Amino acid sequence: MSRGEVRLEGGRSGTQDTRDGLAYWSREKEFLAELAQVRVGRTWVREVFPPMCSLRDDCVTVLSELLANCAEHGGGGRVSVLVTHVWGRVTGMLVHHAAPAARVWIPELGVDEVGDIEQLEESGRGLVVVAELCGGEVEIAQKADRTVTRWRLHGSCACEEAEGY
């Protein structure tokens, strides 16, 4: 097993391992809770994942929804994101460093019919997408000064090496 600390521009850092030839890495980055940062977050995720990783696009979507929620409903502040990749699994943690502006809940999976989509517009339509992509493996813990969201994506993954990522 080889392991190395990776220092990236903009203060990003992460670790990189190869375990039995499987890609294992971790990256972190900080964002402002602003809508313009959603695009920055999407670009960042695309850059840190190997292009062949089938979990990359799901992670882009999950991070986009969570960053947008922080910007739209979270009252500003900073957002720290940690993404970890192991062959066939991606885990993430997002910490919104601001007092919660509203109670956040994760919708139940398997909703066959939404009814009036406008009812979900301000109450978690994006979290329905996040919950479905993560197979229900999303946890939110709200503290007095921050909200911590953890998620896990599963699926087949074509990543075989950590080299360069």
Side-chain angles (χ1 to χ4, degrees), residues 88-103:
R89 184 181 71 210
V90 171
T91 58
M93 180 174 69
L94 180 144
V95 180
H96 185 196
H97 302 278
R103 187 177 184 291

Side-chain angles (χ1 to χ4, degrees), residues 39-159:
R39 175 180 278 176
V40 175
R42 293 174 66 87
T43 300
W44 174 71
V45 169
R46 282 191 192 103
E47 289 174 354
V48 300
F49 272 81
M52 78 290 273
C53 184
S54 60
L55 297 173
R56 179 177 74 170
D57 290 340
D58 287 350
C59 193
V60 167
T61 302
V62 168
L63 184 58
S64 295
E65 291 295 338
L66 295 176
L67 283 174
N69 281 351
C70 291
E72 282 286 327
H73 311 294
R78 295 176 300 109
V79 179
S80 302
V81 176
L82 173 67
V83 176
T84 302
H85 176 280
V86 179
W87 183 82
R89 184 181 71 210
V90 171
T91 58
M93 180 174 69
L94 180 144
V95 180
H96 185 196
H97 302 278
R103 187 177 184 291
V104 181
W105 56 275
I106 300 297
E108 291 184 33
L109 292 181
V111 176
D112 292 330
E113 191 174 304
V114 172
D116 184 7
I117 195 73
E118 297 303 319
Q119 292 176 346
L120 289 176
E121 187 172 353
E122 294 299 326
S123 63
R125 173 171 61 194
L127 290 177
V128 171
V129 172
V130 170
E132 289 290 336
L133 286 174
C134 295
E137 293 194 56
V138 181
E139 298 174 2
I140 296 177
Q142 291 185 290
K143 311 287 185 185
D145 62 342
R146 68 190 177 283
T147 300
V148 179
T149 305
R150 290 184 171 86
W151 73 91
R152 180 177 294 171
L153 297 165
H154 296 271
S156 60
C157 179
C159 303

